[in-house]
Amino acid sequence: MRRTIVALGLLGPFVLVACKRAGHAPSGAASSSAASAAAKSTSGGARAGNFADRHVSSAGAFDLVTTEGGAALAWAPAGSTSLSLTLLDELGAERRTEPVFTQSDDAGTAAPGASISEVAAVARGNDLGIAWLEQAGGAARSRGVVRPISDSGSAPRVIEIGAVLTPTSTPRGNLAITSSADRFLVLSRGQKSDCIDATENDCVGFGFHRLDAGRAVAQNLPLTVPLPCDQNSVSFAVAGSRWYYGVCSRATGKPVTTLFSIQTDPEYARADRILEGCLPLGALSQGGDLLVVGDCGGERRGVRVRGGNAETSELRVDRLDAICDAGHPLLHQLGPNGLRLSLDAPRDRLEAFLPAPLAPSAARAVWTGQTLLVAAASGALITLKAYRCDSTLLREVALGANATH
């Protein structure tokens, strides 16, 4: 494994060395407004449809995240360029389902045959940030929206983030979104980029954008990635005061993830090459550590990344079990370096840390504080399952069923 550590004040040169700095980023991306007009018909570009229909065009065209007092399921109905949202309570019962936004002329006309192939979401207080990938033929673009979770009468603005080079990563990995106390931040695949190193080829640019309710502002940390991985090529996570973002590349002939760590107090930035030969599946924080899991030829491998100068260490996740302890799920593996993750508070992005029978490929899983919810694409239909503790067992229950403890 190769690692680089530098001061945060040198973050720009650090990115240049570790992942190849791209050209100068624009100061901001154009935004477009979505007013309260009804969805347009096929002849107008974007296609109207049943916003409650959970059939999707792609296995990555949905996301599931926790919110205050429950969870939110966002998805793109098949055959449309719109998004739908179902708000759930802590037991998984549906509170309401509604369109995320409504289309208008100044929201940007969708090309004939356009569809949404990937959706990523995150909640921050009463706000929900969503980014998505829209494709039509050989063209693609990333877009985003910030809207209140609880206010169903709002008219959020659709934000243009940028054009995306095709073919794209499938079913996910072209964009990621995370939040801090005061912002939503999107990392999105961009266009073809010049490679800095003459030995590399097929380089693609990735850019950071701060996503607000009215605009997407490009940040000055563009990346160029040689031969991005076919799956899950980008990821984002926050662990305490540290920000992490990862990019997966096949430049060496096999997938390798470079994980960047940024901390402000004390100031430093660091890069680790991890999970060589593996496609990344997911990451989440545990205390001040970041846990990362990958698919290594059909077997799961994990890495624990600590802050400062601490070395990374093995995390065993190849024989995971899910039980209950003190009324909360415990995700664990017996033996040295085995995972032990107690879900004693709401958590997102649990799918890579669940036993495979609970979380199929491309699933999303969250713990609401009372219920483990797992959303997955069964064929073209999004299904939602709920699990709850019964003594020491984690059992499947009906969505919205009353808790027994």
Side-chain angles (χ1 to χ4, degrees), residues 283-366:
L284 54 76
S285 62
Q286 185 181 42
D289 299 344
L290 186 75
L291 313 181
V292 188
V293 172
D295 178 1
C296 310
E299 181 180 65
R300 289 189 194 181
R301 281 173 44 197
V303 175
R304 181 183 295 274
V305 182
R306 296 181 170 88
N309 295 324
E311 294 288 338
T312 61
S313 59
E314 178 189 28
L315 178 70
R316 294 292 306 278
V317 290
D318 54 310
R319 295 182 180 179
L320 290 171
D321 194 11
I323 61 173
C324 289
D325 180 47
H328 302 290
L330 174 64
L331 312 180
H332 76 120
Q333 177 162 325
L334 298 176
N337 302 318
L339 173 71
R340 184 176 178 84
L341 181 65
S342 179
L343 303 183
D344 53 4
R347 296 293 298 262
D348 290 351
R349 298 291 183 261
L350 294 172
E351 54 275 359
F353 300 85
L354 293 173
L358 293 183
S361 176
R364 290 300 201 210
V366 302

Side-chain angles (χ1 to χ4, degrees), residues 132-389:
W132 64 93
L133 182 72
E134 183 181 293
Q135 294 187 258
R141 61 178 174 176
S142 55
R143 312 182 84 187
V145 71
V146 175
R147 55 156 287 165
I149 295 172
S150 59
D151 182 9
S152 61
S154 64
R157 303 181 67 172
V158 175
I159 310 300
E160 296 293 332
I161 297 176
V164 173
L165 180 70
T166 59
T168 57
S169 175
T170 58
R172 302 185 194 274
N174 302 286
L175 47 83
I177 184 170
T178 191
S179 68
S180 66
D182 63 346
R183 73 186 68 181
F184 292 104
L185 196 62
V186 175
L187 174 57
S188 175
R189 181 186 180 103
Q191 295 283 53
K192 186 175 182 179
S193 177
D194 291 336
C195 299
I196 305 300
D197 191 329
T199 64
E200 296 175 340
N201 54 70
D202 295 329
C203 292
V204 178
F206 286 78
F208 292 87
H209 294 80
R210 176 170 176 163
L211 185 65
D212 298 322
R215 60 179 182 168
V217 181
Q219 308 297 289
N220 291 321
L221 288 174
L223 304 173
T224 295
V225 181
L227 278 171
C229 293
D230 297 329
Q231 302 176 37
N232 301 337
S233 53
V234 297
S235 58
F236 239 159
V238 179
S241 62
R242 287 191 293 275
W243 288 67
Y244 294 91
Y245 58 95
V247 291
C248 181
S249 169
R250 296 177 289 112
T252 64
K254 58 184 178 181
V256 178
T257 294
T258 301
L259 181 71
F260 300 91
S261 311
I262 302 174
Q263 180 173 300
T264 56
D265 187 16
E267 293 186 348
Y268 79 91
R270 160 179 169 176
D272 292 278
R273 290 184 55 168
I274 61 174
L275 297 174
E276 297 195 28
C278 308
L279 288 170
L281 294 177
L284 54 76
S285 62
Q286 185 181 42
D289 299 344
L290 186 75
L291 313 181
V292 188
V293 172
D295 178 1
C296 310
E299 181 180 65
R300 289 189 194 181
R301 281 173 44 197
V303 175
R304 181 183 295 274
V305 182
R306 296 181 170 88
N309 295 324
E311 294 288 338
T312 61
S313 59
E314 178 189 28
L315 178 70
R316 294 292 306 278
V317 290
D318 54 310
R319 295 182 180 179
L320 290 171
D321 194 11
I323 61 173
C324 289
D325 180 47
H328 302 290
L330 174 64
L331 312 180
H332 76 120
Q333 177 162 325
L334 298 176
N337 302 318
L339 173 71
R340 184 176 178 84
L341 181 65
S342 179
L343 303 183
D344 53 4
R347 296 293 298 262
D348 290 351
R349 298 291 183 261
L350 294 172
E351 54 275 359
F353 300 85
L354 293 173
L358 293 183
S361 176
R364 290 300 201 210
V366 302
W367 170 250
T368 68
Q370 293 196 37
T371 307
L372 178 68
L373 297 175
V374 180
S378 177
L381 179 67
I382 300 173
T383 62
L384 189 64
K385 294 185 177 182
Y387 301 85
R388 199 169 299 128
C389 284

Side-chain angles (χ1 to χ4, degrees), residues 30-50:
S31 66
S32 52
S33 171
S36 57
K40 297 168 67 178
S41 65
T42 304
S43 62
R47 297 176 298 286
N50 179 4

